[in-house]
Amino acid sequence: VFLLLACAWYYFKRIPKLAREQDDKVISPSDFAIEVFGLPRTLKDADGAQQGDAHRDYSQRVRSHFENLLETPLHGHSDVTPKKVKDAVCKVTLARDWGGGVQAFAQLGDARMAVREARGHLRQAKSNNSISEVKKGKKVKKFEKALEKAEEKVKKLEEKVNKMSVEQEIERPVVAFYVIFNKESA
């Protein structure tokens, strides 16, 4: 019974206290930053135009919103003067929807690597003199097909990536944002 009580005290009292003490001693990015999800993916202008100036100014609007929040005494920051509040938000970073663009770039890199490997195998097969000409011809043909297939895949992925890069980053939908403050207390 005593061991059970000692374990419960250690688990529910001592470990949380040690965790709080450690968190207070160590400064980490989470002390200065917040992550926000569930916001509108695009902002409309006052006239209702989709992705107009309002959407292009998304970052500045988020910054202004948090500066306004920090100015209100309701949030426990009545001691912060408006001058200090204007400097309270250090950076706002928007995470945008690239529509699979990151995956496409990764696939393009893999496909280009496959082309290099296929060229190496083809070169090796052509220079191999230890097998008969019939076997050598079959291997060369096999690697030529593999090279052709890999080059076609690279071409398709390059077209996909080029189509994605036409749309500017600032016009892409927003999926989340990160606000970094200058002080831990903000």
Side-chain angles (χ1 to χ4, degrees), residues 67-79:
E67 287 172 350
N68 290 338
L69 278 177
L70 291 174
E71 284 179 358
T72 61
L74 295 173
H75 297 289
H77 294 281
S78 59
D79 61 324

Side-chain angles (χ1 to χ4, degrees), residues 136-150:
K136 185 177 181 178
K138 286 181 181 179
K139 277 193 167 193
V140 166
K141 199 171 203 176
K142 174 184 157 187
F143 288 124
E144 283 175 343
K145 283 184 181 181
L147 177 61
E148 189 177 311
K149 186 177 178 181

Side-chain angles (χ1 to χ4, degrees), residues 146-173:
L147 177 61
E148 189 177 311
K149 186 177 178 181
E151 286 175 339
E152 185 62 34
K153 186 173 183 178
V154 166
K155 186 177 176 182
K156 285 180 183 179
L157 286 169
E158 283 176 342
E159 289 172 5
K160 182 177 180 180
V161 167
N162 288 338
K163 285 179 187 176
M164 286 182 191
S165 63
V166 171
E167 186 179 4
Q168 291 185 3
E169 177 181 359
I170 202 162
E171 295 173 353
R172 293 188 173 278

Side-chain angles (χ1 to χ4, degrees), residues 113-153:
M113 183 64 76
V115 166
R116 279 188 286 249
E117 288 175 2
R119 284 184 180 144
H121 289 303
L122 180 61
R123 202 172 18 257
Q124 206 173 30
K126 285 181 178 180
S127 65
N128 189 350
N129 294 326
S130 64
I131 57 175
S132 69
E133 285 299 317
V134 175
K135 282 187 175 181
K136 185 177 181 178
K138 286 181 181 179
K139 277 193 167 193
V140 166
K141 199 171 203 176
K142 174 184 157 187
F143 288 124
E144 283 175 343
K145 283 184 181 181
L147 177 61
E148 189 177 311
K149 186 177 178 181
E151 286 175 339
E152 185 62 34
K153 186 173 183 178

Side-chain angles (χ1 to χ4, degrees), residues 40-53:
R41 292 175 60 83
T42 58
L43 295 180
K44 296 179 183 177
D45 286 339
D47 61 1
Q50 191 77 354
Q51 291 192 351
D53 290 335

